[in-house]
Amino acid sequence: MDKTRRAKELDRLEKIAKHFSMLEGVNGRLEKYRIFTVNQHLKGKTVLDVGCADGVMAKALSGKFRVTGIDGSKKLIERAKKSSPNVEFIHTLFEDYKPKRKFDNIVLSFILEHVEDPIKLLKLSKEWVTDNGRIITLVPNAWSLHRRVGKVLDLLSDVHDLNPTDLKQGHRRVYDLDLLKKDIKQTGSTILETGGYFIKPLSEAQMVDWSDELLDAFYEVSKDFDPQYCMEIFAVFKK
């Protein structure tokens, strides 16, 4: 990445960071399901959390693993350091990152939809992981029930369109399972498992008053659904 593009991307990330937190609103209350999903597939002793944002995932994993978190936003890294002193946090664009060692696990939690070149990030992740290690990626699902409803209501012309929330959070694309698997396979990786979790029937604004018990119920119900209806999807793969 040349200096001009690099400076532009760093500035873009800092603008997003001004209003971003994994702890806020309904989205923050759903983080426990993401952490549980990732934890189910980790092995070994070390984790690299790519696009760690304000460190919520890294902090949760640090109780069992030695975690390093990287992010392109200096503001978010500073926030993460304050909340998780047991985690090594590094401010860097992923293109610039040169780890001193390889990791047993690479976590790409809601980063592929943000980056300019997701294939490049997936290829770099293979360089960062140990030979027997795993890469776990999570992304929002274009075919989530709430996006399907949005299309019927003409709020979206296509489920893959970027909605106002996507744009505010700096998303550049919306994945579905087929698109996610296609990108992973382009890197020559072996997919071990794919899936989805949490049925989201409405927008977050319409779920503000939902109790934790109700959210948990929709998470449990999601286990009986085709992953293509779930709010978020994941893939676990190796070199």
Side-chain angles (χ1 to χ4, degrees):
M1 182 181 290
D2 60 44
K3 291 183 179 179
T4 301
R5 286 177 59 205
R6 184 177 184 278
K8 185 177 180 180
E9 185 66 10
L10 288 170
D11 181 64
R12 174 179 176 273
L13 292 173
E14 294 304 342
K15 288 178 179 177
I16 295 169
K18 289 180 180 179
H19 56 74
F20 180 84
S21 173
M22 293 303 297
L23 292 171
E24 292 181 353
V26 174
N27 184 61
R29 295 168 64 198
L30 301 178
E31 186 68 7
K32 61 182 179 181
Y33 309 127
R34 300 170 186 130
I35 292 167
F36 180 75
T37 299
V38 169
N39 249 321
Q40 284 184 304
H41 297 96
L42 297 179
K43 57 186 293 186
K45 298 180 179 179
T46 58
V47 176
L48 175 64
D49 185 5
V50 181
C52 63
D54 44 7
V56 177
M57 176 73 72
K59 181 179 181 180
L61 300 180
S62 65
K64 293 168 44 180
F65 300 91
R66 189 164 71 252
V67 183
T68 299
I70 63 172
D71 200 278
S73 167
K74 186 176 181 180
K75 183 184 292 293
L76 290 177
I77 285 292
E78 289 174 348
R79 195 185 303 166
K81 286 180 178 179
K82 291 178 181 178
S83 65
S84 308
N86 295 329
V87 177
E88 177 187 22
F89 288 106
I90 301 170
H91 174 226
T92 179
L93 292 175
F94 74 82
E95 296 95 337
D96 300 332
Y97 182 54
K98 306 294 181 184
K100 297 178 182 178
R101 65 185 186 281
K102 294 191 176 184
F103 297 86
D104 298 322
N105 306 276
I106 309 295
V107 177
L108 306 173
S109 179
F110 301 94
I111 184 66
L112 291 182
E113 68 273 19
H114 285 270
V115 298
E116 199 169 39
D117 189 344
I119 303 297
K120 184 174 183 178
L121 176 53
L122 289 168
K123 288 179 177 178
L124 280 174
S125 297
K126 292 177 64 177
E127 295 178 12
W128 298 332
V129 74
T130 58
D131 290 340
N132 296 317
R134 292 183 170 190
I135 304 169
I136 303 104
T137 183
L138 293 76
V139 293
N141 179 23
W143 286 106
S144 170
L145 184 58
H146 79 288
R147 294 181 72 93
R148 293 171 186 254
V149 171
K151 183 176 183 300
V152 171
L153 292 173
D154 291 326
L155 300 176
L156 294 170
S157 59
D158 186 277
V159 293
H160 296 87
D161 288 347
L162 295 172
N163 62 31
T165 300
D166 291 317
L167 295 171
K168 182 179 180 181
Q169 294 181 351
H171 295 177
R172 286 178 160 124
R173 63 194 61 81
V174 187
Y175 277 97
D176 58 40
L177 268 176
D178 289 337
L179 291 173
L180 182 59
K181 288 189 284 188
K182 180 181 177 182
D183 276 5
I184 293 170
K185 288 177 179 178
Q186 280 192 57
T187 70
S189 301
T190 300
I191 297 175
L192 302 173
E193 184 178 344
T194 62
Y197 56 90
F198 196 80
I199 290 296
K200 181 182 180 184
L202 304 169
S203 69
E204 289 184 24
Q206 295 168 300
M207 296 166 59
V208 170
D209 296 329
W210 284 24
S211 67
D212 289 344
E213 290 77 14
L214 185 55
L215 293 176
D216 286 343
F218 272 86
Y219 171 72
E220 290 299 324
V221 167
S222 72
K223 297 175 183 178
D224 299 324
F225 275 71
D226 185 312
Q228 302 219 43
Y229 286 90
C230 292
M231 179 182 74
E232 295 166 357
I233 49 179
F234 70 89
V236 183
F237 58 102
K238 64 179 183 178
K239 290 184 178 181

